[in-house]
């Protein structure tokens, strides 16, 4: 038989019918294949997105926990810092009290001393004789056993320290010196030239802290009267009673009444 109109010997279908079937099957197959692929790609994209979201959420949760830990640690450090600050303030307060106590003890040791300034040093000088002469000037009889005296350094104009064995004699001398107001070199037997007779300054032996306090007080309040009683600096306002001067902060207040 003539097989020209058939696609092959096995199926014996007409070639035009086979072509039609091939086209229909191809379309069906293409439709069947394309749909699952599209669904598969969409599912994979959603899965990847969900996976990324889960990872991001996990990272955020981890970071949130770390932030909370840091907040707790920061709060702990802050509390420790506050406690350390309180301890430091307490130590400063105790140190201030200790310094005040030491200064008070040091001033008590100096309570029987006086400092004489602006007395020139000369060869073979007899400081004890000058101290006795200063006592006579104040109408106080002094013996060598009543005091101890020496210069505070080797400088030619170094102050002279006179340490009395009796506090009453020291106070009597200071009262007399204040009445004299001015003591000149010539009063102690020094020879003056060209009518220049420098003044001698005689004061209580104060600690550096007391001297600094007194200096600042005088700089700020020149109209006030300062009196030293047993090493304690006192201040007298005009028409007011004597008040103790203890702290620099008290002096530095410029609204302090005059």
């Amino acid at each position: 038989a003539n097989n020209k109109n058939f696609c092959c010997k096995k199926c014996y279908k007409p070639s035009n019918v086979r072509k039609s079937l091939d086209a229909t099957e191809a379309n069906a197959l293409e439709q069947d294949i394309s749909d699952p692929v599209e669904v598969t790609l969409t599912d994979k994209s959603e899965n990847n997105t969900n996976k990324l979201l889960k990872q991001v959420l996990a990272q955020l949760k981890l970071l949130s926990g770390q932030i909370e830990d840091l907040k707790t640690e920061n709060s702990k450090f802050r509390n420790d810092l506050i406690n350390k600050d309180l301890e430091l303030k307490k130590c400063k307060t105790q140190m201030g009290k200790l310094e005040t106590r030491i200064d008070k003890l040091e001033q008590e040791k100096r309570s029987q001393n006086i400092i004489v300034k602006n007395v020139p040093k000369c060869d073979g000088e007899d400081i004890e004789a000058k101290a006795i002469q200063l006592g006579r000037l104040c109408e106080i009889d002094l013996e060598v056993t009543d005091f101890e005296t020496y210069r505070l350094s080797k400088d030619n104009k170094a102050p002279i320290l006179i340490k009395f064995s009796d506090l009453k004699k020291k106070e009597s001398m200071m009262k007399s010196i204040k009445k004299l107001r001015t003591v000149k070199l010539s009063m102690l037997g020094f020879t003056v030239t060209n009518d220049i007779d420098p003044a001698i300054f005689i004061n209580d032996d104060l600690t550096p802290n007391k001297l600094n306090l007194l200096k600042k007080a005088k700089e700020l309040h020149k109209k006030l009267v300062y009196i030293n009683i047993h090493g304690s600096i006192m201040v007298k306002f005009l028409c007011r009673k004597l008040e103790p001067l203890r702290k620099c902060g008290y002096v530095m207040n410029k609204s302090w009444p005059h």
Side-chain angles (χ1 to χ4, degrees):
N2 190 2
N3 296 328
K4 291 182 180 180
N5 294 327
F6 298 93
C7 61
C8 62
K9 293 180 178 180
K10 293 182 178 180
C11 61
Y12 292 100
K13 292 180 180 180
S15 59
N16 57 350
V17 174
R18 184 64 188 171
K19 288 179 181 179
S20 176
L21 289 173
D22 290 343
T24 303
E25 291 175 355
N27 291 333
L29 180 63
E30 183 179 355
Q31 184 66 31
D32 293 341
I33 291 173
S34 63
D35 290 344
V37 168
E38 184 177 355
V39 172
T40 303
L41 290 173
T42 303
D43 291 343
K44 285 184 177 180
S45 178
E46 289 180 356
N47 290 335
N48 291 335
T49 302
N50 291 333
K51 186 183 289 185
L52 287 173
L53 284 174
K54 288 180 179 179
Q55 291 177 355
V56 170
L57 290 174
Q59 290 292 331
L60 288 174
K61 187 176 181 180
L62 179 62
L63 290 173
S64 178
Q66 291 176 349
I67 289 172
E68 291 299 324
D69 292 340
L70 289 173
K71 284 182 178 179
T72 303
E73 190 174 358
N74 186 39
S75 178
K76 183 180 178 181
F77 284 149
R78 184 180 296 175
N79 291 333
D80 291 341
L81 185 61
I82 292 172
N83 292 333
K84 294 295 183 184
D85 187 55
L86 291 175
E87 290 178 3
L88 182 60
K89 288 181 179 179
K90 185 177 180 180
C91 289
K92 286 183 177 180
T93 302
Q94 292 176 347
M95 187 179 294
K97 290 180 179 179
L98 184 60
E99 289 177 350
T100 302
R101 185 176 179 184
I102 292 172
D103 186 72
K104 184 178 180 180
L105 292 173
E106 179 64 25
Q107 190 58 60
E108 287 178 359
K109 290 182 179 179
R110 301 182 181 209
S111 61
Q112 297 181 192
N113 302 349
I114 64 172
I115 299 292
V116 183
K117 295 182 179 179
N118 206 31
V119 177
K121 186 177 182 179
C122 56
D123 295 334
E125 68 176 355
D126 188 352
I127 301 178
E128 291 179 349
K130 297 298 181 186
I132 292 172
Q133 191 168 356
L134 180 61
R136 290 174 184 167
L137 185 64
C138 297
E139 299 180 353
I140 298 173
D141 293 329
L142 292 178
E143 301 291 337
V144 178
T145 55
D146 292 332
F147 63 91
E148 178 184 351
T149 183
Y150 53 86
R151 286 191 181 269
L152 296 178
S153 71
K154 295 181 179 180
D155 187 75
N156 289 334
K157 293 185 178 180
I160 297 172
L161 183 140
I162 302 175
K163 185 175 183 179
F164 291 86
S165 57
D166 187 0
L167 180 60
K168 290 182 179 180
K169 286 190 176 182
K170 179 252 182 177
E171 290 180 348
S172 298
M173 179 172 284
M174 291 303 296
K175 287 180 181 179
S176 299
I177 289 171
K178 286 177 181 178
K179 289 179 180 180
L180 292 173
R181 293 193 177 184
T182 304
V183 179
K184 301 287 188 177
L185 274 178
S186 59
M187 295 179 180
L188 295 181
F190 284 92
T191 303
V192 296
T193 57
N194 300 326
D195 295 331
I196 298 176
D197 194 2
I200 297 173
F201 304 102
I202 305 167
N203 296 292
D204 289 276
D205 184 17
L206 300 177
T207 61
N209 183 53
K210 288 281 196 306
L211 283 173
N212 185 46
L213 178 61
L214 184 62
K215 181 180 177 181
K216 289 183 177 180
K218 287 183 176 180
E219 287 176 353
L220 292 173
H221 305 281
K222 296 180 180 179
K223 295 182 180 180
L224 302 181
V225 179
Y226 298 89
I227 302 174
N228 187 277
I229 301 176
H230 301 297
S232 297
I233 301 174
M234 306 294 290
V235 58
K236 184 178 182 181
F237 299 111
L238 297 178
C239 302
R240 293 181 63 176
K241 65 179 182 179
L242 282 172
E243 296 182 17
L245 188 61
R246 296 189 181 95
K247 297 180 180 179
C248 286
Y250 190 61
V251 179
M252 297 303 290
N253 182 9
K254 294 189 177 183
S255 62
W256 205 25
H258 290 272

